[in-house]
Amino acid sequence: MLPRLLVLTDRRQLPSGRTVAETVARCAEAGLTAVVLRELDLTEARRAGLAADLAEHVRVVSARTLLTRAVGIHLGSRQPRGDAGKAPFHGRSCHDEAEVDRAAAEGTSYVTISPVATSASKPGYGPALGVAEVRRAVAAAAGVPVYALGGVDPGNAAGLREAGAHGVAVMGAVMRTPDPAAMVARLLEEVS
């Protein structure tokens, strides 16, 4: 079963001196069970090593390429379905109802719809889709789980679930905070 909370990694947003592995370990102690490993600027060998480290604590879904120790792959919105290869399951980034519809038709395991709110991680990226677009994405997904992504925090997570999202996907709110475990606990409380 897919979790209600996915955390996407981005080491560039971490407070000075904290690593992705340390952050994920702390989040796992608070109940996090899955991450999407991004870090796309690293070599595949370094990403694979990081995936192995993270897999000691949570299930790892790797962005764009399937890595050893990853349980699945998260494809970009325009990335060919064939890039998922023999991954046990794959997700896909989507930015509108039409992309969600295509992803569902291709047999994706889950989709993210973004940005649902103004995102500090990607300023200027948007416009923010809002709750109404989340509802439309859920309808277009025809049963495929939808994660709301982009600008998600404890203040809007419950409303996104109420709009029909299976769960939320969060990067900046967890990566930037001084206490990632507390943030994960608050998010899980809102979406459970």
Side-chain angles (χ1 to χ4, degrees):
M1 182 173 141
L2 290 170
R4 298 291 181 199
L5 173 64
L6 285 174
V7 169
L8 286 73
T9 70
D10 184 351
R11 71 188 188 288
R12 294 169 298 190
Q13 294 190 53
L14 294 172
S16 180
R18 198 170 77 208
T19 67
V20 170
E22 175 190 352
T23 301
V24 170
R26 288 170 64 184
C27 291
E29 291 172 3
L32 182 69
T33 61
V35 297
V36 176
L37 174 60
R38 293 179 43 81
E39 313 311 325
L40 298 170
D41 60 319
L42 296 178
T43 65
E44 286 298 288
R46 286 190 61 201
R47 286 182 73 225
L50 184 53
D53 291 344
L54 300 183
E56 298 296 321
H57 305 284
V58 295
R59 291 178 305 196
V60 177
V61 177
S62 57
R64 308 286 166 83
T65 59
L66 186 61
L67 301 170
T68 306
R69 300 289 306 269
V71 299
I73 185 171
H74 186 89
L75 300 174
S77 60
R78 292 178 180 84
Q79 191 172 358
R81 164 66 178 93
D83 285 359
K86 295 182 187 211
F89 74 93
H90 78 282
R92 179 169 299 278
S93 293
C94 297
H95 304 92
D96 59 37
E97 186 179 347
E99 287 183 356
V100 171
D101 185 58
R102 282 192 301 277
E106 78 176 6
T108 194
S109 305
Y110 71 91
V111 298
T112 58
I113 184 74
S114 69
V116 298
T118 302
S119 170
S121 297
K122 294 185 177 182
Y125 186 75
L129 300 172
V131 170
E133 186 62 27
V134 171
R135 285 191 186 99
R136 286 190 286 277
V138 169
V144 172
V146 174
Y147 286 90
L149 168 66
V152 176
D153 60 33
N156 62 10
L160 295 164
R161 280 275 293 130
E162 290 167 9
H166 172 81
V168 295
V170 180
M171 183 168 52
V174 172
M175 293 289 112
R176 287 189 301 270
T177 186
D179 190 347
M183 179 59 72
V184 162
R186 288 178 62 202
L187 287 163
L188 286 170
E189 184 177 317
E190 293 298 325
V191 298
S192 297

